[in-house]
Amino acid sequence: MTWKLPKTLFAATAVASIAWSSGLAADKVVMATNWLAQGAHGGFYQAQVDGTYERYGLDVEIMMGGPQMNNRPMLPAGRIDFLMTGNLLLSFDNVRNDIPTVVVAAFFQKDPQAILAHRGVYEGGFAGLTQAPTILISKNGQFSFWRWMVAEHGFKDEQLRPYGYNLAQFLNDKSIVQQCYATAEPLYAAAAGAEVETHLLADNGWSTYSTTLETRWDLVRDNPDLVQRFVNASIEGWYNFIYGDRSAAYAAIMAHNPEMTVEKLDAEMDQFAQLHIIDSGEAESRGIGAMSLARVKAFHDLAVSAGIIEAGSVDLSKVATDRFVNAGHGLDIKARLTGG
C-alpha cells in the first residue's frame, strides 16, 4: 500500500499559523524524544516554555526517552503523536517493516555521529584513522555507519572492537579510536584531560539528516493542520533556543534530567555551532527543519551501496514528506535576533 496525501487536505496548512482565539480549546499533543533531556532537544523545550506551542493552539507534553524508556513503538501505537528520532536509517527500517510513520521535518542538517581520536596521533584527518589498530564501535554502529566506513573509506573489520559506552579504554590508550556523539564524548574526554580530535561523519559523506521528526501517516492525512502547527511552532522554538534567551528551556531540560547543568548545556550548544549541525546547509535559505527528498533518496542509495540495507526493500514514497517544511518559516525570527 502506498500512502498518498490528498492535496485538498493541505489547503488548511496555509492558515496554520493564524492566531487562535482564546475560546478555542488547545489540541493536546504528546511529543517524545529518543533520549534523556539535553541540548539536542532544546528547541522543543523552548517552544513549550516560552508559549510558542500555546500560541499555535497546542497543549504539548514532552515525554523524555532514555535507557529505560523506548518511545519508538509508542508512535505507531498511537500513544504519542510525534517522535524526535535519530537518523533516516530508523525511518527506512520502519518502512521495511510496514510501520505507517513518516518524517515531516529534519532539525539537524548534519548527523552528530562522529569518530573520536587523540589529537596528533594519526596524520591525514579522517583517512588517517584507517591506520588505527583498534576502533571501538557499538553493535548498532557496526551494522550501520561502520559498513559505510569500510565500503567507502577503507576501514577494515580487523580494527573493530565493541564499544560499551565507556571512555575508559580510549582514555587509557592513545592509539584507540572510538565512535562518539559529537556533542557528548568529546566534551567528556576533554573534561578528563584528554586532547582529542572529532571527525564528523557528515563531513566525510555520511549524508543522513538527524533529529528528524516523525508522525503517523494517518495524522498527516486526517489532520495536516495540526502537523503544520506543531512543525512551525517547533521551528520557531529552535530559532529562539539557538539565537535568543534559552535560560527557561535550560531549566526545563535540567528538571527532566538533573545530570545536566548550565555549563554542560552551554558546551553542547557551542559544539553544535562549531560543527554547523543545525542552522546550516539547506536550513540557511529554507529554514530550520528543511528537508530535501532528493537527499533522502541519495542517503538511501548510499545505504544500499554500503550494504546497510537491501536494494528494493524501502519504498521511498513512504519515508518522508516535505510538505510541512522548506518555506523559510522562522527566518524572520533569526534576522530579528541576530540583527541580520
Side-chain angles (χ1 to χ4, degrees), residues 137-147 160-163:
I137 303 291
S138 69
K139 183 177 180 180
N140 286 341
Q142 292 174 27
F143 290 99
S144 57
F145 60 83
W146 175 255
R147 290 187 175 180
L160 186 62
R161 299 292 184 276
Y163 176 48

Side-chain angles (χ1 to χ4, degrees), residues 38-47 49-50 234-251 253 265 268-269 272 278 333 337:
Q38 55 192 273
H41 310 160
F44 305 109
Y45 282 96
Q46 181 78 30
V49 300
D50 71 7
S234 299
I235 290 170
E236 292 183 22
W238 274 105
Y239 276 115
N240 284 314
F241 184 70
I242 294 171
Y243 298 111
D245 179 1
R246 49 183 179 248
S247 56
Y250 273 14
I253 290 169
L265 288 165
E268 186 179 354
M269 295 311 297
F272 280 131
I278 303 174
I333 297 174
L337 291 174

Side-chain angles (χ1 to χ4, degrees), residues 152-333:
E152 297 294 327
H153 290 278
F155 289 86
K156 299 178 177 60
D157 285 332
E158 292 76 20
Q159 299 172 277
L160 186 62
R161 299 292 184 276
Y163 176 48
Y165 295 95
N166 187 307
L167 281 171
Q169 283 182 271
F170 176 82
L171 293 174
N172 290 327
D173 186 344
K174 288 189 176 183
S175 72
I176 288 180
V177 170
Q178 68 159 66
Q179 75 173 64
C180 71
Y181 198 76
T183 59
E185 284 93 343
L187 302 178
Y188 308 152
E195 295 185 353
V196 299
E197 297 175 349
T198 303
H199 301 271
L200 205 64
L201 297 187
D203 291 339
N204 293 280
W206 183 249
S207 58
T208 182
Y209 293 109
S210 183
T211 305
T212 55
L213 184 70
E214 290 184 345
T215 189
R216 295 183 304 279
W217 271 109
D218 68 284
L219 194 58
V220 167
R221 182 185 63 237
D222 300 335
N223 201 346
D225 172 75
L226 183 143
V227 176
Q228 188 71 72
R229 282 186 283 134
F230 185 79
V231 170
N232 282 358
S234 299
I235 290 170
E236 292 183 22
W238 274 105
Y239 276 115
N240 284 314
F241 184 70
I242 294 171
Y243 298 111
D245 179 1
R246 49 183 179 248
S247 56
Y250 273 14
I253 290 169
M254 291 185 290
H256 266 187
N257 180 10
E259 292 187 4
M260 296 306 298
T261 65
V262 171
E263 292 74 21
K264 287 180 180 179
L265 288 165
D266 279 343
E268 186 179 354
M269 295 311 297
D270 286 345
Q271 282 285 89
F272 280 131
Q274 290 174 24
L275 296 170
H276 307 289
I277 285 173
I278 303 174
D279 190 10
S280 63
E282 297 159 42
E284 292 182 310
S285 59
R286 295 180 174 183
I288 288 175
M291 181 172 56
S292 160
L293 297 184
R295 181 170 160 187
V296 173
K297 181 182 184 301
F299 181 69
H300 164 270
D301 294 347
L302 175 154
V304 169
S305 177
I308 300 170
I309 58 177
E310 294 181 1
S313 65
V314 176
D315 181 348
L316 285 173
S317 70
K318 297 180 181 180
V319 172
T321 176
D322 61 359
R323 293 191 181 224
F324 302 102
V325 292
N326 299 341
H329 188 80
L331 289 175
D332 58 327
I333 297 174

